[in-house]
Amino acid sequence: GIQVEQSPPDLILQEGANSTLRCNFSDSVNNLQWFHQNPWGQLINLFYIPSGTKQNGRLSATTVATERYSLLYISSSQTTDSGVYFCAVPPSLDLTDSWGKLQFGAGTQVVVTP
Amino acid sequence: NAGVTQTPKFRVLKTGQSMTLLCAQDMNHEYMYWYRQDPGMGLRLIHYSVGEGTTAKGEVPDGYNVSRLKKQNFLLGLESAAPSQTSVYFCASSPYVGVRYNEQFFGPGTRLTVL
């Protein structure tokens, strides 16, 4: 099945700093989601981004499916950005096999300090 | 809209006991999923359903059973709990839109401890 690798595994930021999180995947994909898991364990949808670039406030994401990576940008980080960021892609490009399933990366743990 | 809800939020079981986790969604989604998340790891798919009355195995199905008798509900059962099933369980749902798969939406999770 597809392999999903996220980097860096850990990131410590001072409030106000910018950062880039990366998600590499081993095969072509037709779907990709970014999630934020807050310190209380809740999974929050950030982006559904199979390709192209999207922005939502201080966060933006870019997926280049042909080169098998996606980037999540956090600008002017705040303490509320702390948590784990996951990317997830279908386990197979075969639409008759995927059934909307997602294969998760191990995540990037982000700590934003005041 | 409540979105995806899960019951219970927390549970402690003794080895060998059984229990059922309930997931409900009010978004009329076709697809539903059960994942588990172990410390320091991403989510892994246990079972999923592509419609009422259908279920299928995911990546880590052993020790679990599921049922989807109603479109809005997806139940996860543990027949004989083991300490290795201590985890946080997440339910998710997704609409079906043509041949492109839309995004998944997650419930708040159930923290299960098996002693």
Side-chain angles (χ1 to χ4, degrees):
Chain A
I2 196 167
Q3 303 299 313
V4 183
E5 294 184 358
Q6 292 187 241
S7 61
D10 300 281
L11 192 59
I12 299 176
L13 299 170
Q14 195 154 17
E15 205 167 19
N18 302 328
S19 64
T20 301
L21 283 59
R22 188 176 181 100
C23 174
N24 291 334
F25 33 93
S26 59
D27 204 346
S28 299
V29 299
N30 54 14
N31 182 10
L32 188 143
Q33 286 189 245
W34 281 99
F35 298 91
H36 174 215
Q37 187 168 39
N38 65 23
W40 296 271
Q42 185 182 9
L43 275 166
I44 300 163
N45 288 34
L46 295 179
F47 295 101
Y48 169 75
I49 183 166
S51 62
T53 298
K54 290 186 177 180
Q55 181 153 8
N56 184 1
R58 296 180 295 102
L59 301 180
S60 63
T62 295
T63 296
V64 185
T66 53
E67 297 188 19
R68 303 177 185 176
Y69 73 89
S70 182
L71 302 174
L72 178 69
Y73 305 96
I74 305 174
S75 65
S76 303
S77 58
Q78 300 178 359
T79 55
T80 52
D81 295 329
S82 295
V84 183
Y85 290 81
F86 291 104
C87 72
V89 300
S92 168
L93 189 60
D94 183 355
L95 294 181
T96 62
D97 177 53
S98 287
W99 296 109
K101 294 182 287 184
L102 291 176
Q103 180 81 30
F104 280 75
T108 292
Q109 173 88 50
V110 173
V111 175
V112 181
T113 60
Chain B
N1 276 359
V4 181
T5 58
Q6 293 183 230
T7 308
K9 291 184 171 52
F10 304 94
R11 186 72 186 268
V12 178
L13 290 178
K14 294 181 179 178
T15 297
Q17 287 185 318
S18 63
M19 77 162 296
T20 300
L21 281 67
L22 171 64
C23 175
Q25 52 97 2
D26 61 1
M27 297 176 283
N28 201 35
H29 286 173
E30 290 294 330
Y31 296 170
M32 295 187 74
Y33 311 86
W34 276 107
Y35 294 87
R36 62 177 287 173
Q37 183 181 28
D38 299 312
M41 297 179 66
L43 281 70
R44 292 183 294 168
L45 184 65
I46 304 172
H47 284 282
Y48 64 101
S49 168
V50 299
E52 182 178 320
T54 73
T55 63
K57 295 180 180 180
E59 183 185 357
V60 288
D62 293 343
Y64 305 95
N65 56 74
V66 288
S67 64
R68 186 136 178 237
L69 300 179
K70 294 182 179 181
K71 184 177 183 179
Q72 63 268 32
N73 296 337
F74 195 28
L75 278 64
L76 178 71
L78 287 72
E79 290 185 347
S80 180
S84 61
Q85 294 177 304
T86 293
S87 189
V88 180
Y89 292 85
F90 287 96
C91 175
S93 71
S94 172
Y96 174 71
V97 183
V99 295
R100 292 194 62 82
Y101 297 95
N102 219 323
E103 62 183 301
Q104 286 189 23
F105 297 87
F106 282 79
T110 294
R111 187 173 296 274
L112 175 66
T113 301
V114 182
L115 303 175

